[in-house]
Every structure is written in C-alpha cells, then in structure tokens.
Amino acid sequence: MGKKKTGSIGLRKSDLERTVIDFFQENPAITFPLKGICKQLHLRTSQAKMLLVDVLEGLLVDDFVKEQPRGYYTLNMPSQVMTGIFHRKANGKNTFEPEDGGEPILVAERNSLHAMDGDTVQVTLLARRKHHVREAAVTEILKRSDKTFVGTLQVQRGYAYLLTEDRTLANDIFIPKEFLKKGQTGDKAVVRIVEWPDRAKNPIGKVVDILGKTGENNAEMHAILAEYGLPYVYPAAVEKAAEKLTPGITDEEVARRLDMRDVLTFTIDPADAKDFDDALSIRELKKGLWEVGVHIADVSHYVKEGSIIDKEAYKRATSVYLVDRTVPMLPERLCNFICSLRPDEDKLTYSVIFHLNEKAEVKYWNLAHTVTRSDRRFTYEEVQKVLEDHNEASEEDYKAPGDSAPLPAPDSIGAKPAENFAEPLIILNRMAKILRQKRFAGGAVDFDRCEVRFNIDNDGHPTGVYFKVAKDANKLIEEFMLLANRTVAESIGKVPKNQKPKVLPYRIHENPDPQKLLNLADFVKKFGHKLRTTGNRQDISRNLNHLLSDIKGKREQNVIEMITLKAMMKAKYSVHNCGHYGLAFDYYTHFTSPIRRYPDLMVHRLLTRYAEGGRTVSPVKYEEYCEHCSDMEQTAASAERASIKYKQVEFMGEHLGETFQGTISSVTEFGIYVEIDENKCEGMIPLRDLEGDYYEFDEKNYCLRGRRYHHQYNLGDSVKVQVSRADLYRKQLDFKLIQPN
C-alpha cells in the first residue's frame, strides 16, 4: 500500500477527488478511518481535511464509497443482484434492506412486484440517475413474511373488504366470500394476504380470526396485540402441559437446597399484581451486620429448555402490559400459582444472599438455589405509608401526588398489620437510599418519570386518569434488584487478566450520541438552562442529573425530559458487554424477573450450568437469542403505548368541545402535538388549522415558524386547546388552538 503525495497548499477539490478515487481503487479491500486517509494522503491543514470530508460526502452520495461503521470508509463494490428484506410504505416509497447490513435502497411501487412488508426478496440495482438516490427493482419474492393485518370488515353481497389503518399498506384488502369466516360488517378481524395478482389494485386476503365488534374493549385490546404480531390467546397445548406441572417441593428437593423458610421474607408489588417473582428476606447476623436475601422464583426448575412451554416463552420473550390487562409470557398456572411467591406457601427460589453493614457495603455474598416462604404480601402503598408514618420517606415523597386509592391486596386480608414489619422495612429503606446515593455518585442518570394510568370500569371504559410516581417503596425494591443483577453479572463478566469470560446475556446501554447531546444543550438554552457535554462519562452524567434536577416542577420539565430520553441510546440485550450507561454499571444483567422476561430465564440456566462446572455456550447462538428478546421488548412497548393512546382517545371522547391548558410536546412538518397538562392526553393540531401565516418546519430548533409574520410554535410552549375530534379507529385526538401564550 503506497502512500499518495498530495500536499495541502493550493489543493483543488477536483484534484483531491481524483486522488481519493485512485486511492480507494488501489486499496479496494481495506477500510480506512478518516484520520488514516488524511495520513495516507498527507493532508495536514484543517482546510485540506475539511475539503476531504466534503469529497467523501460526495462520494458517499454517488455510492462510490460506503461508511461502515461511522467514520470509517471503504470502496463500495455492490453486486447488481442482492438479497434482503422488503419494507413496504403506504406512500409507495418502499425500501430494500440488504442482508449484509448496507444502507436501505429505494424501491418504487411500480418495481415492488407487490412484495409485502417483511418479505425476503431478491432485487436488481437500477442504473443510477444523476442527482437521484439509488433504486432497485424486486425480481423475485423468496419468502413471504408471516404478517397479518388488523382492521374492520365491510361486507357486501358476495365479497368483503378489510379497512385497515396499517401504515405499510395503501390499499384495502379484498376478501372473497369463501374466505370471510362468517365475518360481518363492523367486525374487527385479523386477515392474512394470500395473493396479490399483478394487475389487481387490491391484495386478496383470508380472515384468520374474528376478534369481536369494533369498539368493544376486548376486541380492541386483542386488535392492538394482533396489529403488533403479539399473541392474544394462549395455545391450548401449552396450557395443558402447564396443568401437568406440580410444585414439586419434596423432602428430597428441599434437601438439595438452602432452606430459608424460617427467615423473615416478604414481597412488595403493585396492588393488582398476581405474579410475584421477587421477594426480600432480612435477619440480623450480629450488631451492624445484616443478611439480606433477594429471592427470585426458580422458573428454570419447572420450564425445561426445549420443552413446549419453553418454546412458547421464547417466542413471546416478555409479558405484555396493556392498559387493562397483562398478557403473560408463561401460562397462568406457572406465573400466578406454581412460581409466584405467594404468602404462606413454600416456594423454590434462586437467591442472591448478601451480608451488608449499616453503610450498605457488601461484606460477603453467595448465589444459591433455595426454598423460601413469604410471610406477607405488601403493596407499594402499604410500605410507603409505613415509611411516611415513621418519617423515613424522602422529603419529595410527602410533596408528590398519590396514586388512585390503592386496592386492598387479596393476600394481605387477614394478615398481620403492615406496622408490625416497620423495623425491617425501615432498615431496608435506609440501605436502599445509600445504594441509590452511591449509584448516582458513580454516574447513574436519574430518569424517574411519572406514568399515566387509567381507572377502568368493568366494561374496560376509562373513568379517570391518575399519575404513578416512583416513591421510596418502589425505590427500595428497585435498588436491591439492581444490586442482585449487577452482582451476578460481575460474577461471570469480571475475570482475571488474560482469561476469557463465559457467555452471558448482558443488559447493555451504550453511551449517548455526542451530536444528540449537543442538540440537547442548544435546546435547553432556550429555557435558561445549561448543559455541559464535555468531560468523561461521570462528568456528563453529573451534568445531566443537574439539568434534570433543575427542571423539576417547572413547566418545561416534561419536554426537556422527553428530549433528554431521545438523546439516549436504547438499552438492549447482548452477549457483548459494554456496560450500562444509565445505571453507571460496568456489568449488568437481568436476573430478577424470569416469570415475565425470557433473558432472566436464560441467565438462571447459565448460572446453574456454570456453577456445576459446565462449559461456556455459543456466543453466536445466544446473541441471536438476545436480539430476538430485544426486538420483542420493543414490540411489547409499542403495543403498550398503543393501548394507552386508545384509552386516551376513548377518555377524551367524553370531553368533546371542552377547553384545556396544554403544552406543545412535539413539532412536526404536518402539525403540532399538544399534551394536556391535567391528564397528559396528547392530541394534534394539523398544520392546515394554524391560521394567519404560512408555517415552515425548523427541525433543528423544534419549532414551526411563520414565513410572513415570524410567529413561532416551539416545543414546550403553553397553549389553550379545544378537543375537536376523538377518532378511536385511528387512535387519534384532534385539537383546535384557542389561544397561544
């Protein structure tokens, strides 16, 4: 690889472009960092380096070079024929995602061969037109995706249509009468496309399931699950397999375990919870030294790898929490009965047992399969009341709004009064506060946000809104779960130098994107706040925490918190550990919720395997598992948001014509979104309804700006709105602007 001689003085762009082209053609198989190219071409001045960046950007647009990963460049040698995934868009601007992970390529509707979203296809690259993006044409559909569509049936005499709001499909689906499955007009249905003839405008579909009448709560919740490809019923064969399982707490099984049934143990969960997958135990070993056990349901004892129950659990990967229901990962017999750590019942558990002093320092810990017995089932509200009654709660807890009236915990009725457990609860709370303080001192970021919750009547109709705020009772449990998760991750990941750690699914959270942090710093200036984005990880985290603390209780709090979250990377699962930025942990995993998360079940199995001297597992295989679990987690979160949005629209449908004070929560090229201050319900004011000027979208500054009179609508502005429309079919609220502030 010979070095090019260019020099930097009097360098012209056309000359440098020719030199760069020659350079890459001479080194077709090598990927160079930007600094490496500067060094090879002897570009020493800032002006020459900036010119190189300009040249590279032009070559990227022309597809001569490709950037992968960011800041690294190599010669682009694409094949004319490629295989990958087709992504359909309702606007006809479909894209093709190459299987090698390259940049998406445009596929116009006329070149789509009627491929559906998620299909595996073969494409041919089209000749590049000057000043146009690269395009491809689908030549063959290799594998159809299993995607179904959800919508409302419109039945005619001999046929029907499925009216769907799916954003990947511009046309309604035609359904012949023989494929209708007795569906009627107004039914919510799940449909699979079976054919799309070349000359036909509409695809032909077949009804898979009738969910019920449009507008019925059960039908709508099932429709949301089906829309995201999530199951809304449990397979009968899996339920049957679960029914055959027994608790199996025999004398022989107890003898194989550490028996902790005589240690004070309890669960703390939401009032409506049924799957209690974690418990805490506490006893004094000597003055100033406490044994604290974090006990987790031993799901892996019952769900054997490769079994029918395990395969279904892996497919689901997580429980899904909609507004009015939980769709469990495991069959009800397991999650609510056999594995659930219900009070006054012996249970098989997997435990991390700590010896902690009064400074919450871990003096010793061990991991053990145990048998435990919960002495009481607490709700968060019960524990919080004990802490507040003894002046042990944080100062902000006394000021924070309460949840709706807590439901009585069925398992607590007739149990000893919560006050009888005040001393152990206070000791654990004090330790949790110290652990939390250490975590933030170490660089953790405080992202505590209130959550919107609905009071739901027996018909699933929302009757009111309340806000769920994390108080000390919640944080008590959180800190001990974090401690257990971090400890078991370190036990596998931290190994002596020159020794390779065994494979484990980690919960990772990468550092925030520097450019997004700079954009955040520019944004918060408008509200009079400062954010320094330089320094090490701890410095940046500390600055973020200062910002989040400064905005507490101010009108811009919600907006800045939202933009700050957008600047963060998404947490995910991976066997390739890079630490957890938000928690400021170098090693972190999920161990504490195997009833509702499949990664925790994987971790339990691997910890048991390694404790018994087993060899490490395939990192490639487990990375695939991690990617699947991460994808399902995001899908479940999207379904949860959709159910909340549906209930918001349903709730606000009772308030048509009423006016509310709100805050602009999002600004887009087609309008502004406003969140009502008193109930957090969000609706849109379309751009066409903003009168008095022609508005242009300023993406960088999150605002709409009038071209003639320069009036602005900014993110965070306070406005008064009227509820003008509540469209349940589209899950959309429309507002009318009454008065901008």
Side-chain angles (χ1 to χ4, degrees), residues 139-153:
T139 55
E140 186 179 355
I141 297 170
L142 302 175
K143 183 184 176 185
R144 285 287 188 186
S145 73
D146 198 34
K147 182 176 173 66
T148 55
F149 295 85
V150 182
T152 302
L153 289 174

Side-chain angles (χ1 to χ4, degrees), residues 8 12 35 44 50 53 84 89 92 99 118 127 171 175 190 221 232 258 260 437 446 454 510 527 603 628 631 644 726:
S8 298
R12 292 188 302 178
K35 286 183 179 179
R44 299 183 182 89
M50 292 299 292
V53 171
K89 304 286 178 63
E99 63 183 358
N171 311 82
I175 305 171
V190 182
M221 292 300 106
Y232 47 90
L258 178 62
M260 298 190 69
Q437 189 177 15
D446 186 1
F454 289 91
E510 297 169 286
F527 297 94
V603 167
H628 168 72
D631 290 343
I644 292 171

Side-chain angles (χ1 to χ4, degrees), residues 235-255:
V238 183
E239 294 274 19
K240 191 174 180 181
E243 288 301 322
K244 293 179 181 177
L245 295 174
T246 60
I249 306 176
T250 61
D251 292 341
E252 292 77 16
E253 185 59 40
V254 171

